[in-house]
């Protein structure tokens, strides 16, 4: 079966168990995707909305950084390696390198808001060196490779990621990554995580020309998959970029809140997850 | 002497020899940069403009691709290598790969006009694979590396480039590259050409957020060098992007016409070169 049904239960009188039974009868393939809507249904129930709808679920889209792997920890390791390389190469204290990184990062995000280039470590490295009055032609490549080789060697998929992607793949639900950042490094991350075989498409903000939460990047990804927005879930860690963005683009948003932040107020429905294992 | 004078002679009664004498008296350092303005002066003389101005020349900026090395020939080699890799990897005829490349390149240039990402071979490779219905996640990296490793191994600086950069460097005239394209690959090209040691700065369209002929990219480069537009020459092969762009940004434009194209009509002054050796 190519299409798996997504059922949103909107009645307070239906318990989770009854939802399962009802849905299992309604659509032959329900049990295979129950993991995707169980908690969402409970939340819906609490809202006293009396309505039952069934729709086709054709794709699950994911954010990459901090969603499929722990970026924050790897980033700190990689930054330290970069600063230590700078210290040994130029005899400038690692602390000054880290300060220059922050300044360069800030400048580029101000100069190039909403486009992928503001994340590019080659540009950040080049600007760092310029700020420090060090040779800024070619040397940025060395800093770039120090940063990324450290990060790429340290990352691994979050718990449940491989199993979830594999399950979706076998259920023939299409999968995609929709990510801010340059395409080159995102392809390298996907290769390092070993998950390329389970993914159908990737859209980077470099390709879309805009960053999340701009709906264009979500629609570009869906267009590649030939899937309509309401036929797709989106799972990401950033409430503003991923959840609000996916909602604005018409997808069903899932918020991966691994740090247990308080849930933000929102005038639309979304499902909160604390781990991708919850979806298994 | 840190600053070398640039003299623009605008009188029909002054011969080139007299220009030299005049200028040599006027500024002690004239003979060291005569190579930069000799032909320009002749052109000026023909225009019957009676005026003599002297100004400081502090920087020479260059375009990179097809100016400092022959991009066109290397690109053809690299494309062929990419198509042959595709053929062996996916059993798709090289000719189909080349057609898909052209289509992908056209699509990206339409979708992302005026920004560096439209040149990114990772994005072009990804789109090629999508158009051919082949796996498009990670595989683009293999095509990207096949293309660039072929190109980077085949390129060498044009005749006169190393000598010219070395001469400017020793005269303490600052040098920069102002180029459309992503920063990462331009740094790799500069390293492959072996000219990094002679260059002070590089600005890519990825960093500037705009492509030539937009004046911003020229000004970003000058700002890094702390040089005013009328204190700098710009040398490039594209009449529209380099010559018109540099003129609009207030720099003194030099057109490197290695293919002996007919000179375009222009309502401003520029100098035509057929080889960078003319500047030595």
């Amino acid at each position: 079966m190519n299409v798996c049904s997504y059922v949103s239960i909107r009645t307070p009188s239906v318990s989770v168990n009854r939802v399962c039974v009802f849905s299992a009868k309604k659509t032959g393939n329900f049990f295979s995707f129950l993991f995707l809507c169980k908690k969402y249904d409970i939340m819906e129930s609490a809202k006293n909305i009396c309505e039952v709808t069934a729709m086709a679920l054709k794709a699950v889209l994911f954010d990459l950084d901090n969603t499929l792997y722990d970026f924050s920890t790897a980033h700190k390791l990689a930054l330290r390696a970069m600063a230590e390389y700078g210290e040994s190469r130029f005899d400038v204290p690692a602390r000054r390198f880290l300060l220059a990184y922050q300044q360069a990062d800030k400048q580029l995000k101000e100069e190039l808001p909403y486009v992928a280039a503001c994340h590019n470590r080659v540009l950040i490295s080049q600007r760092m060196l310029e700020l420090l009055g060090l040779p800024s032609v070619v040397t940025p490549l060395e800093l770039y490779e120090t940063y990324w080789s450290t990060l790429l060697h340290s990352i691994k998929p979050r718990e449940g990621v491989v199993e979830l992607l594999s399950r979706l793949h076998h259920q023939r639900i299409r999968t995609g990554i929709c990510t801010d950042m340059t395409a080159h490094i995102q392809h390298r991350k996907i290769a390092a995580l070993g998950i390329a075989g389970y993914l159908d498409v990737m859209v980077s903000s470099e390709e879309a020309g805009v960053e999340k939460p701009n709906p264009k990047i979500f629609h570009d990804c869906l267009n590649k998959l030939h899937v309509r927005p309401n036929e797709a879930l989106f799972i990401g860690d950033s409430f503003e970029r991923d959840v609000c963005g996916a909602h604005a683009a018409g997808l069903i948003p899932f918020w991966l809140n691994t740090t247990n932040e308080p849930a933000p107020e929102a005038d639309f429905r979304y499902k909160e997850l604390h781990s991708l294992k919850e979806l298994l």
Side-chain angles (χ1 to χ4, degrees), chain A residues 17-245:
Chain A
N17 282 342
R18 282 181 60 201
V19 170
C20 298
V21 173
F22 167 82
S23 305
K25 281 184 190 159
K26 184 88 177 173
T27 75
N29 204 30
F30 179 78
F31 285 113
S32 63
F33 71 93
L34 178 63
F35 65 93
L36 286 171
C37 60
K38 207 161 57 180
K39 286 213 173 183
Y40 191 62
D41 296 336
I42 296 168
M43 196 173 72
E44 287 306 312
S45 301
K47 284 190 181 169
N48 288 340
I49 307 163
C50 298
E51 192 185 337
V52 180
T53 56
M55 47 169 279
L57 176 71
K58 292 191 182 167
V60 180
L61 308 187
F62 297 88
D63 166 52
L64 176 53
D65 301 297
N66 265 340
T67 295
L68 297 186
Y69 76 99
D70 174 4
F71 171 77
S72 305
T73 307
H75 172 65
K76 279 179 207 147
L77 272 177
L79 261 191
R80 199 186 311 149
M82 192 190 209
E84 281 166 8
Y85 177 84
E87 185 168 76
S88 68
R89 174 91 164 69
F90 295 110
D91 205 20
V92 166
R95 222 186 109 266
R96 274 194 64 204
F97 252 92
L98 290 176
L99 288 172
Y101 180 93
Q102 285 165 9
Q103 199 182 342
D105 189 38
K106 190 166 170 274
Q107 284 187 6
L108 282 167
K109 288 203 169 38
E110 282 166 7
E111 288 170 24
L112 298 164
Y114 319 123
V115 293
C118 73
H119 308 287
N120 190 336
R121 266 59 172 180
V122 166
L123 293 179
I124 297 175
S125 301
Q126 190 182 295
R127 187 62 62 87
M128 277 168 73
L129 294 164
E130 286 165 2
L131 290 168
L132 291 165
L134 296 170
S136 68
V137 182
V138 176
T139 318
L141 281 182
E142 298 165 21
L143 292 170
Y144 175 90
E145 271 310 320
T146 305
Y147 177 92
W148 285 120
S149 64
T150 307
L151 187 134
L152 293 170
H153 277 96
S154 79
I155 62 176
K156 54 179 198 294
R158 280 196 197 278
E159 258 198 309
V161 163
V162 175
E163 296 77 5
L164 176 58
L165 289 174
S166 163
R167 188 164 174 165
L168 293 170
H169 189 67
H170 284 104
Q171 287 176 323
R172 299 199 184 167
I173 296 177
R174 305 207 76 197
T175 53
I177 284 182
C178 184
T179 171
D180 290 343
M181 269 272 199
T182 57
H184 185 257
I185 200 61
Q186 299 308 70
H187 279 298
R188 285 177 73 185
K189 286 175 192 166
I190 291 169
L193 293 169
I195 55 174
Y198 303 117
L199 294 166
D200 294 304
V201 299
M202 196 264 279
V203 175
S204 58
S205 56
E206 185 178 27
E207 182 180 3
V210 297
E211 300 227 293
K212 293 179 284 184
N214 189 314
K216 180 179 185 294
I217 188 167
F218 298 93
H219 292 158
D220 283 358
C221 199
L222 293 171
N223 289 341
K224 283 194 188 188
L225 293 169
H226 308 291
V227 166
R228 283 190 293 268
N230 64 359
E231 295 170 330
L233 306 185
F234 191 90
I235 303 171
D237 73 296
S238 163
F239 197 84
E240 190 200 333
R241 291 178 174 246
D242 296 318
V243 175
C244 297

